[in-house]
Amino acid sequence: MADSTIPVHVKAEVSVRVNPVLSSISRVIKFMGIKAVVLFFTVVVGVYLTILVANMGGYVDQIQRGQIQEQIATQVLNDPSFKLLAADVRAQRIADITRMAEHRAGLDQPFMVRSVRFLTNALSLNLGRALYMNSDGGSRQVRRIILERLPSTLVLFATENFLNFFLSIFFALALSRKYASFWDRVIITLSPTSSAPGWFYGLFLILIFAAQFGILPYGGMVAAPPPDTPINYFLSLCQHLVLPVFALLLSTIFGNVYAWRTFFLIYSSEDYVDMAKAKGLSSRDIERRYILRPTLPVIITNFALALITVWQGAIVLETIFNWPGLGRLTFQAIGLFDTPVIVGSTVIYAYLLAITVFLLEFIYTLVDPRVKIGSEGRRV
Amino acid sequence: MKYRILEIRRYPSAVAGLVIIALLLGISIYTIITIPYSEAIRIWRGGEEEVQDVPKNAQPVWVNFFRKTKLTETIILNTLEDADNANGQVTKVVTTGASGKSVIDITFAFEYLYDTFPQALTLHMTPIYQSGTPFVTATWVTPDNREIPLKDLKIQAPETYRISQDTRLRKNLENQPPEQGLFADPFLETPAPLKGRYELRLHVTVFEEGADLDAKFVMHGQVYGLAGTDHKRRDLTVALLWGTPIALSFGLLAALGTTLTTMVIAALGVWFGGWLDGLIQRVTEVNMILPFLPLLIMVGTLYSRSIWIMLGASILLSVFGAGIKGYRAIFLQVKESAYIEAARSYGASNTRIVFTYLIPRIIPVLIPALVNVIPTFVFLEATLAVLGLGDPVIPTWGKIIDDARSNGALFQGQYYWVLEPSSILMLTGLAFAMVGFALDRIFNPKLRGI
């Protein structure tokens, strides 16, 4: 395109392209590898802190002790040979068995030793058994219960984040073109509304669209008897997705558009943009190559931070919309005081956040020229 | 500095925000003075006596302004209190007869100009006597002068006659619930109330001198008070009023605690550098992936739901927030300035440099950040309450939303129950956000052109 008017430069670029591709790939892999290791250690520390908080009052121990005692009590009750023993001998036996079982479970070890074991268990998603809750398949395994709920959460958040990212970029670009126009002012005025969480708008949306007009469902993921054909299932899912996604969008999009539009405006006042204009490039090209491109790393960092907040707001949003995901699971676990499930979902959230950060870091390396070219300029 | 703050007048939205904040502060002060803390808790957790005269799930009184069909208001008439109150008249005439026997005629008269039926009708009676039990005959008189006998009662002790639950009366009224049958226009197909002056007459016979009977008539309407009531017959006004100081103090304290600590930590990290700076950076990174809300939930379920414990926990978890990186970048610039070097050369101590030279430079950035973060915490309190982790004692806005939601207010059309607390929340959040937004532009001239 425009570059072809200066053939000398093109030649120079082509001649060095063969090697740099390989080296930039290896640099990206190296960069991502370091990031992955750092993030893994971050997760370890995060999960360990979670365990410390959970066990500050010895609750995890108590739960285990309770389980062991219950198990032994039923075992003794069902064993006829115990009935013949004298009361004190029987009590002695029960105490012995309990102590052995506790030793086997490692409850007599010092906390530091045990916490390391908890940590390895949590990291390998060996989250123990729930006290009261079951998975739909009937399993008591916390891991099963959580993994069963995970897809619904992912569907909701993937949809929302996808829409959010592209709509925000689209509107932000459009507004930065028409700086200080009527719509620009509207968005600036609306941007403080992003301080309210998604569930809050969810309440209003349910009130308007479900309660008042009855055009969209109150909540849930699919209609009450699940539709039998995949197409109907998908349509029902989409219908149920509208309100929660809309609620999340409302709570984030104005703030995002405002922030990103500001980034675009800052970058479009750079000298090289004026230079490009002077060269007579089309405004589309200028926007794509000279404004959008250099702004992307900043936007992605900004988006990552917003995403983390949204993940956490999930818990209440899913509760409000009866969305059968991880958030509602946490909510139900609070109601039932099912500590293993609460601790388990906290661990899963830590993982999810880390994975989100990692993915965004990956995209970041793809769009940030500094990583690919391998300059010394490191991000703060 | 002062000049800059005055610049806020140029932003109409910020002025509106300030007005709202001032109003909220006014409400808080008014509430704390008129309804002391212990009193508020007593009312909110109050038992039967506190709420028996209050209708259940009643809408606020002002909805009648917007309605064509007027909803029934709550009417309470008491022989002990007022002969003539705004809702109706109470007359009590004693006719003394022979041998200590006397007759007391009590009439409760009120105008009924509403288009709906009341929720319930109740009559409370308290007798005073030695041995002869007072005898009461209750009669209902409609505007078209029909007299409907209600019941004959012997009142031995303070007694409550629940007119709405009288099954015999129900049968006499062609199987309509009494609160409907007593008010219905007999000539209409679909039941609608007959408007006009109703009377409840109590003909009381007492059998000894000094014997007496006092009565209180309560008609539970469909509307009550300025804010309506909830499923436990509690007046929402109390919770809405008390929610204000709680929300403001939670937001302000959390915002102050977080921003100030973050700032000091960032300053210390930059000034001392080395391993301390590195440690702070790493902790910030760990904190970024720490699931904030699930951890708060754990604290709430395992330790305490007290709002102040939650406040402390949320401050602790947000101290190493994303703000640290921003402050650090600014401090790094400031650290290189000439006046810091001058301070160092004349031998100023580290604490002196950090607290008197470094930190003040960041206040222009700090103030907008502080104001901007307040709504987040105000909403956080509501979020926790909606999760069922609200303070067990104190009434807050979030707890009203939680009650409304878990009792199906949205399904049953009790919108006021959700809309009142959430609009106040929204208003509070927006007010701070708008002020913060304007402050941001005032203190960061880079943003002003944009």
Side-chain angles (χ1 to χ4, degrees), chain B residues 7-8 22 65 72 88 93 124 163-164 221 250 264 275 292 333 335 357-358 370 383 403 426 428 437 439-440:
Chain B
E7 221 175 288
I8 209 163
F65 279 117
T72 314
V93 182
H124 304 277
I163 305 175
S164 324
F250 189 89
V264 171
W275 65 269
F292 175 74
Q333 280 177 7
K335 191 185 174 185
Y357 300 134
L358 215 49
L370 179 81
T383 304
D403 280 343
M426 185 83 224
T428 313
F437 189 79
L439 285 174
D440 222 359

Side-chain angles (χ1 to χ4, degrees), chain A residues 39-242:
Chain A
L39 261 178
F40 178 73
F41 278 107
T42 325
V43 171
V44 171
V45 177
V47 171
Y48 193 68
L49 281 177
T50 309
I51 288 166
L52 285 185
V53 173
N55 212 359
M56 214 154 24
Y59 281 88
V60 179
D61 296 352
Q62 260 176 36
I63 292 160
Q64 264 191 315
R65 281 220 173 84
Q67 271 178 339
I68 289 171
Q69 268 160 14
E70 199 187 304
Q71 221 174 351
I72 289 168
T74 44
Q75 189 188 325
V76 167
L77 268 178
N78 293 331
D79 191 344
S81 63
F82 272 91
K83 289 190 180 132
L84 302 171
L85 294 172
D88 56 332
V89 181
R90 190 164 55 193
Q92 181 61 42
R93 280 287 292 151
I94 292 177
D96 282 349
I97 299 176
T98 314
R99 203 173 52 233
M100 262 152 61
E102 282 181 1
H103 175 71
R104 219 170 343 165
L107 282 175
D108 53 352
Q109 286 165 332
F111 177 69
M112 287 319 285
V113 181
R114 270 181 296 132
S115 68
V116 172
R117 197 163 30 95
F118 287 146
L119 179 67
T120 47
N121 277 348
L123 286 174
S124 55
L125 291 186
N126 185 3
L127 300 167
R129 292 165 71 80
L131 295 183
Y132 312 104
M133 301 182 84
N134 283 329
S135 74
D136 289 342
S139 170
R140 272 284 174 90
Q141 293 265 317
V142 174
R143 178 172 40 179
R144 286 263 176 94
I145 299 177
I146 288 178
L147 287 183
E148 201 179 74
R149 303 294 192 99
L150 203 53
S152 343
T153 299
L154 291 180
V155 166
L156 177 59
F157 283 86
T159 318
E160 194 275 331
N161 288 319
F162 184 79
L163 282 177
N164 191 353
F165 188 79
F166 288 103
L167 284 179
S168 297
I169 285 212
F170 175 76
F171 286 123
L173 267 180
L175 286 187
S176 72
R177 252 176 260 147
K178 299 204 174 80
Y179 159 63
S181 67
F182 171 73
W183 287 111
D184 195 27
R185 291 187 174 281
V186 168
I187 294 288
I188 293 179
T189 324
L190 282 177
S191 69
T193 56
S194 285
S195 61
W199 65 263
F200 188 76
Y201 293 107
L203 276 181
F204 288 101
L205 291 180
I206 292 178
L207 203 154
I208 296 169
F209 292 102
Q212 195 62 39
F213 295 124
I215 40 178
L216 286 166
Y218 278 92
M221 200 163 106
V222 284
D228 34 13
T229 60
I231 295 171
N232 284 345
Y233 192 91
F234 178 72
L235 287 178
S236 173
L237 177 67
C238 288
Q239 196 191 14
H240 285 75
L241 260 176
V242 174

